[in-house]
């Protein structure tokens, strides 16, 4: 599954900015893939924990994205390049914007630290 499905599904995942909805969709996709591999249809009403016990696996798609993002950020920030200066905020745009309405937009580096509790448990183990 990791070889065929994840390589396509997680293409360029290190540059994604994940919202809570996106994380839920990714976990749902992962469980759908495991269920399809076990030939379980949704009308069987099998719990996710039972599917994971059947495949002897655990949920780790968000952990994989976290690892990829940390490796990519480390690679980029280790070089002295334009993208590093942009992510650190050293290059300013020509348009001056005082304040936008609404919630502050999430940035690439904002997504690196505050992962959900279940991902932090997987990273620490």
């Amino acid at each position: 599954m990791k070889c065929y499905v994840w390589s396509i599904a997680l293409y360029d995942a290190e540059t994604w900015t994940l919202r809570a909805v996106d994380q839920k969709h990714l976990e749902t996709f992962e469980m759908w893939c495991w269920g399809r591999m076990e030939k379980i249809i949704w009308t069987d009403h099998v719990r996710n924990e039972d599917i994971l016990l059947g495949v002897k696996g655990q949920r780790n798609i968000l952990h994989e994205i976290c690892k990829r993002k940390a490796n990519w950020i480390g690679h980029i920030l280790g070089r002295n390049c334009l993208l590093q200066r942009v992510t650190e905020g050293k290059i300013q745009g020509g348009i001056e914007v005082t304040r936008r309405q609404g919630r502050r937009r999430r940035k690439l580096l904002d997504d690196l630290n505050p992962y959900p509790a279940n991902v932090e448990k997987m990273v620490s183990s």
Side-chain angles (χ1 to χ4, degrees):
M1 171 149 139
K2 291 182 182 179
C3 179
Y4 294 114
V5 178
W6 281 18
S7 62
I8 295 170
L10 297 182
Y11 178 75
D12 206 23
E14 47 275 343
T15 61
W16 296 350
T17 303
L18 294 176
R19 299 173 300 159
V21 173
D22 299 331
Q23 292 172 359
K24 183 178 177 183
H25 286 223
L26 285 168
E27 286 181 340
T28 304
F29 172 73
E30 182 181 16
M31 291 309 303
W32 179 82
C33 289
W34 286 121
R36 291 300 300 157
M37 286 181 63
E38 291 292 308
K39 296 186 175 152
I40 298 171
I41 56 175
W42 67 274
T43 55
D44 292 341
H45 299 291
V46 179
R47 293 183 10 216
N48 289 340
E49 292 81 18
D50 298 335
I51 294 174
L52 290 173
L53 286 174
V55 296
K56 296 180 178 73
Q58 56 182 329
R59 293 184 191 195
N60 53 5
I61 195 164
L62 292 178
H63 176 66
E64 181 67 27
I65 292 174
C66 175
K67 283 189 341 188
R68 287 184 184 195
K69 187 172 286 197
N71 287 339
W72 185 74
I73 292 290
H75 173 73
I76 293 299
L77 295 181
R79 311 171 99 208
N80 189 9
C81 65
L82 177 64
L83 185 58
Q84 176 186 3
R85 299 212 239 115
V86 169
T87 56
E88 290 176 352
K90 291 182 180 176
I91 296 178
Q92 300 294 326
I95 300 172
E96 182 104 10
V97 177
T98 56
R99 183 176 177 274
R100 292 190 175 134
Q101 286 186 335
R103 183 179 297 177
R104 185 177 70 90
R105 293 186 70 185
R106 293 188 59 144
K107 297 179 183 173
L108 183 66
L109 294 178
D110 292 344
D111 200 28
L112 194 58
N113 241 353
Y115 280 101
N118 60 352
V119 174
E120 289 178 3
K121 288 177 189 174
M122 288 191 291
V123 170
S124 64
S125 59

